[in-house]
Every structure is written in C-alpha cells, then in structure tokens.
Amino acid sequence: AQLFCRPRGVEGIAIPRIVRRSPSAQRSSGACTMANAAKGVGLAVGGAVVSCALAYGAARVFSSPPAPKPCPTERQRRDTFDGLAKKWDATIRFDEMMGGITRARRRMVQRAEGDVLEVAIGSARNLSYYHTGRVTSVTGIDFSRAMLEVADGKRAELAPTPLKLKLCSSHKIDFPDNSFDTVVDTFGVCSFESPVEALREMRRVVKDDGQVLLLEHGAASWELVQGLLNRTAQRHVERFGCYPNRDIGRLVREAGLYVAVEERKHFGSTYLLVCKKSAPAEDDE
C-alpha cells in the first residue's frame, strides 16, 4: 500500500513522497477490514433473524386460531369456580391492582344506588366499594355455592347495608320484573353459558328508570391483541372458566340494553358500560 504525503518544512509546494507500510501494518489493516466486514455480516444476519421471528409471530397471531375443542360445560365451569373459590382473591388480587382493575371496580360500583342486584357476585370483591349512603340493600347471586360461602364472610365490608346472598343461575334470575334500581355485573358476561340470555334477565329485573353497570373483559380493538386472545381462549376457559374474547358491546346491544356511557381500556379489551333498560325517549319539538 502507498500513501502520498506532503513533507514538513516545504511551503506552497506539494512534493509527493512514497511511504511504504511495513508487512505487519498491512496485516493489521487487513484484519481490521475483515473484522468490519464480519460485523456487517453479523448485523445483517441478526436483522434477518429478528425479521423472520417477527414475521413468524405475526403469522401465528393473525392466522386462524387452533381448531376448537369442546369447551367446558356450565357444570364443569361451576366446578372450576368451586375449586378456585377459597384462593380466588389471592390469585387475582395483584394482577387486578397492577392492571388498574381495582380502581375500575371502585369507579363503577360507586355509581350504584337504591336496591342493588349483583349478578355473579363470586367472592364479593366489590362489597367495600358500595356507597352506603346511596345504596339501600345489596342482593348477590351466583351459581357457585363455594364462592357464595366466601362472600358470606365479607358482610362486615358492606355494613350497615344489608346483604342477601342466593344460589341462582344468571340465566334465570329468580326475581320479579322491575325489582332493582341497579344491577351490577363485574367480569361475569365472559363466563355465562348464554351471555345474551343472562343480559336479558338483567334488563328484565331492573326498573324502567334504573341502570345496569357492567365491567367486563372481552374482544380487543387492536387486531394484534385480539389475535392473542383468540389463540389463548381455549386454555383460558379451561383454567379460569371464562371466555376472554367475546364481543361484549355486541352482546349487550343484542340483549336490548341501551349503552349510555362506554369506556374501553387495555387495548379495548376492558369495558366499562353504564346501560339503561331502553333508549331515552326523544323530546317532542
């Protein structure tokens, strides 16, 4: 290798001078060139691997979910809830707190007033959030006897407001029409065998000027998240007894409820809905 340099001490005149590199310097330069080339190849290969991994992951998510297997029956899911009852609060407490669900429960339940029916009350995680100055009574129903036993141990959280607990299916709520000022359901629609039927029952027992408060999780508004929910739905229902990918808004409207307030969080997969029995009548002009 040769370099043309300007010698020191000569002003205004460029005199080329041949500088020869030693063999060791040439070898060093060649090694650096090879090292840089190797780095470039490594980066290219690494980028290709990452791109392939992302493409594969996207294909897995957006492709059709696995062939469905028979989902657990309502009785099997009731057995699941019975088995989880005593440890249910400990199982989900941390996740709910970190995910903002605890705060969402409080916001939703504090809207309740008058005589309240809480459907699928489970382990009664909402009792401490009711505003005792606005709520006259709370009646909780659930199809899991073991969950109701856990709920019964929390009566002090609602005091002095009276609490009634009843073993009852959400699909056939054993109360007359127009019985309650407020109906509350938190994360129950996902676990009902026939969600539209259960929602129609909630609509039936709420008073004409009452409200149905729903805090649910279901279908996401982000396609990527929905793909993940679809792929994991079978495993989720087998483990926790609920379907995480249902279109909650569509089910609520199909049941005839009017959605007065709607908020969605967590990529659209958490629903906070304030519903009325019917749409408000239009004012006559």
Side-chain angles (χ1 to χ4, degrees):
Q2 297 179 344
L3 292 177
F4 292 93
C5 301
R6 177 177 178 178
R8 295 181 181 177
V10 180
E11 300 294 337
I13 301 175
I15 301 175
R17 184 176 66 180
I18 298 175
V19 178
R20 297 187 181 277
R21 288 182 174 175
S22 66
S24 61
Q26 293 181 24
R27 287 195 298 270
S28 176
S29 176
C32 290
T33 302
M34 292 178 66
N36 289 333
K39 286 182 180 179
V41 172
L43 290 173
V45 172
V49 170
V50 172
S51 297
C52 290
L54 290 174
Y56 174 76
R60 291 272 296 177
V61 168
F62 291 117
S63 63
S64 299
K69 297 184 294 184
C71 287
T73 64
E74 182 170 8
R75 181 173 181 176
Q76 289 172 325
R77 287 184 291 108
R78 184 193 62 199
D79 292 342
T80 297
F81 286 116
D82 283 346
L84 291 171
K86 291 183 178 180
K87 58 184 178 181
W88 183 248
D89 288 343
T91 299
I92 66 173
R93 182 181 294 114
F94 180 77
D95 288 344
E96 287 202 350
M97 182 179 64
M98 296 303 294
I101 298 300
T102 301
R103 184 168 58 253
R105 284 181 182 274
R106 182 183 298 108
R107 282 184 56 210
M108 181 60 72
V109 173
Q110 285 185 345
R111 288 176 172 266
E113 57 186 20
D115 291 316
V116 177
L117 172 68
E118 183 167 342
V119 178
I121 192 172
S123 63
R125 294 185 60 77
N126 297 323
L127 285 189
S128 62
Y129 305 138
Y130 284 104
H131 194 299
T132 55
R134 293 199 294 263
V135 171
T136 307
S137 68
V138 175
T139 301
I141 64 172
D142 203 282
F143 74 161
S144 168
R145 186 180 300 275
M147 284 287 190
L148 289 176
E149 290 173 356
V150 175
D152 189 57
K154 298 182 179 181
R155 290 180 179 274
E157 296 182 11
L158 188 63
T161 304
L163 172 66
K164 303 174 185 177
L165 297 173
K166 186 172 186 178
L167 186 67
C168 178
S169 169
S170 301
H171 303 108
K172 294 182 180 179
I173 299 177
D174 190 18
F175 292 101
D177 297 356
N178 306 310
S179 294
F180 298 96
D181 300 292
T182 303
V183 175
V184 175
D185 178 85
T186 57
F187 303 108
V189 173
C190 61
S191 64
F192 298 147
E193 186 80 7
S194 302
V196 173
E197 184 180 345
L199 287 163
R200 284 174 178 161
E201 280 291 274
M202 296 183 207
R203 182 177 182 273
R204 179 183 66 80
V205 299
V206 74
K207 295 179 181 178
D208 289 340
D209 58 350
Q211 58 181 343
V212 177
L213 306 177
L214 303 174
L215 172 61
E216 310 290 346
H217 69 106
S221 53
W222 287 40
E223 188 176 358
L224 177 62
V225 177
Q226 183 60 24
L228 292 171
L229 291 175
N230 289 339
R231 292 198 65 83
T232 59
Q234 182 72 33
R235 184 168 65 252
H236 193 86
V237 71
E238 290 173 355
R239 183 179 179 187
F240 295 110
C242 68
Y243 300 85
N245 59 342
R246 286 177 169 172
D247 187 340
I248 302 299
R250 180 183 62 79
L251 296 173
V252 168
R253 292 175 174 88
E254 186 177 341
L257 287 165
Y258 171 75
V259 179
V261 179
E262 178 174 2
E263 294 182 31
R264 294 178 68 176
K265 300 179 181 297
H266 305 128
F267 307 104
S269 65
T270 300
Y271 299 68
L272 294 88
L273 307 176
V274 178
C275 305
K276 298 294 184 179
K277 193 165 189 171
S278 303
E282 295 183 2
D283 296 332
D284 296 330
E285 296 183 357

